[in-house]
Amino acid sequence: MINLLQQIKNRRLALKLKQNDMIMRIGISRQQYQRLEAKGNPRLDTLELIAKGLNSDVMLIPKEKLNAVLAVLENDGNNTSLPNKQPTHADEQKKLSDDPWKGLLEDGDEYDNGN
């Protein structure tokens, strides 16, 4: 399992952010952020700021649920294992390409059949 500091760095890189970008996002000095990412021991409030700056949340995961959470995170790009996922913009675009007129003139009922 990757340690927390490595997770922070990996998330920053995944968002294509530089350490300097974090200064503006969370309001700490570049040196302070570099030190934290290298060998830091952040306070909880600093950790929450960093998470917010990385569009993430700090969360405690019970050990018995850890494998399930890791599996979901690994499949995040596929979204196939999430039965109740919210429709994405791409899903909406696909529906529109299948039937570009769907929903345009209806009041909520599926094709009113002239009534």
Side-chain angles (χ1 to χ4, degrees):
M1 179 108 199
I2 300 175
N3 74 33
L4 183 60
L5 299 177
Q6 189 62 48
Q7 289 179 51
I8 290 170
K9 182 177 181 177
N10 290 350
R11 176 68 176 157
R12 177 179 57 78
L13 294 173
L15 293 173
K16 297 180 178 18
L17 297 172
K18 297 181 180 185
Q19 286 183 338
N20 284 339
D21 297 325
M22 295 304 291
I23 298 166
M24 297 300 289
R25 286 178 159 243
I26 63 175
I28 65 174
S29 73
R30 182 177 52 84
Q31 293 84 3
Q32 192 178 3
Y33 186 81
Q34 285 175 330
R35 201 171 34 249
L36 183 140
E37 205 174 86
K39 59 180 181 199
N41 186 10
R43 296 184 337 212
L44 182 57
D45 59 341
T46 304
L47 188 56
E48 288 173 335
L49 274 175
I50 292 168
K52 185 176 181 182
L54 295 171
N55 298 332
S56 300
D57 284 313
V58 176
M59 177 182 292
L60 290 177
I61 302 169
K63 285 189 176 194
E64 63 271 12
K65 302 287 184 180
L66 183 60
N67 288 333
V69 171
L70 291 174
V72 168
L73 291 174
E74 274 188 26
N75 291 325
D76 191 34
N78 303 336
N79 285 331
T80 55
S81 66
L82 302 175
N84 296 321
K85 73 173 186 136
Q86 295 293 322
T88 64
H89 181 68
D91 294 336
E92 293 298 322
Q93 288 298 321
K94 183 170 180 352
K95 285 181 189 174
L96 284 176
S97 68
D98 291 343
D99 184 359
W101 305 107
K102 182 174 173 94
L104 197 59
L105 298 175
E106 50 190 66
D107 290 336
D109 291 337
E110 218 29 62
Y111 299 99
D112 211 13
N113 292 336
N115 292 333

